[in-house]
Amino acid sequence: MPPSDSPSDSLSPNLIANAAAVVGRAVSVHCEDRWQVYHRLQDLEIDCQCQSFQPLQVQITTPTQAMQLWSIVKRISEPRIVQIDRLKQSWLKPCAKR
């Protein structure tokens, strides 16, 4: 996947549908919050490198890692109010009966 100028360019919602296509590729994350992404990826033991004034480089080896990366970048880059609204909406949904 080619480097991009923003996390949303390289980590679009299409990543969910095409997570397997990203496996085995390096993904560049350009954003001011790249250190937060880096530390979370380290917690998840996903191979990544982050140097000063350089984009975060992530080596994706499984579809699960692709989804985790997408989720982390989305959580960090989305405005807080959007996250709060989504959480409120999820609490209002009825639980599925089994």
Side-chain angles (χ1 to χ4, degrees):
M1 186 172 283
S4 69
D5 292 333
S6 71
S8 60
D9 291 342
S10 63
L11 301 172
S12 68
N14 293 334
L15 183 63
I16 295 171
N18 301 314
V22 189
V23 174
R25 301 180 112 182
V27 178
S28 294
V29 177
H30 295 260
C31 67
E32 63 238 13
D33 300 318
R34 70 182 182 277
W35 287 106
Q36 289 180 16
V37 175
Y38 170 78
H39 289 294
R40 183 64 185 126
L41 291 172
Q42 290 288 307
D43 292 342
L44 295 170
E45 298 180 355
I46 296 175
D47 188 28
C48 57
Q49 297 178 348
C50 192
Q51 298 175 2
S52 298
F53 307 107
Q54 297 295 319
L56 171 65
Q57 297 292 319
V58 184
Q59 182 65 38
I60 302 298
T61 56
T62 67
T64 300
Q65 289 178 342
M67 292 299 303
Q68 289 172 322
L69 175 61
W70 176 81
S71 176
I72 293 165
V73 172
K74 183 175 173 118
R75 182 179 45 109
I76 289 174
S77 63
E78 268 189 341
R80 189 169 187 268
I81 191 71
V82 172
Q83 294 178 26
I84 290 169
D85 287 342
R86 186 176 298 119
L87 182 61
K88 285 180 182 178
Q89 289 174 9
S90 69
W91 277 100
L92 296 175
K93 290 184 180 182
C95 293
K97 294 183 180 180
R98 291 186 180 231

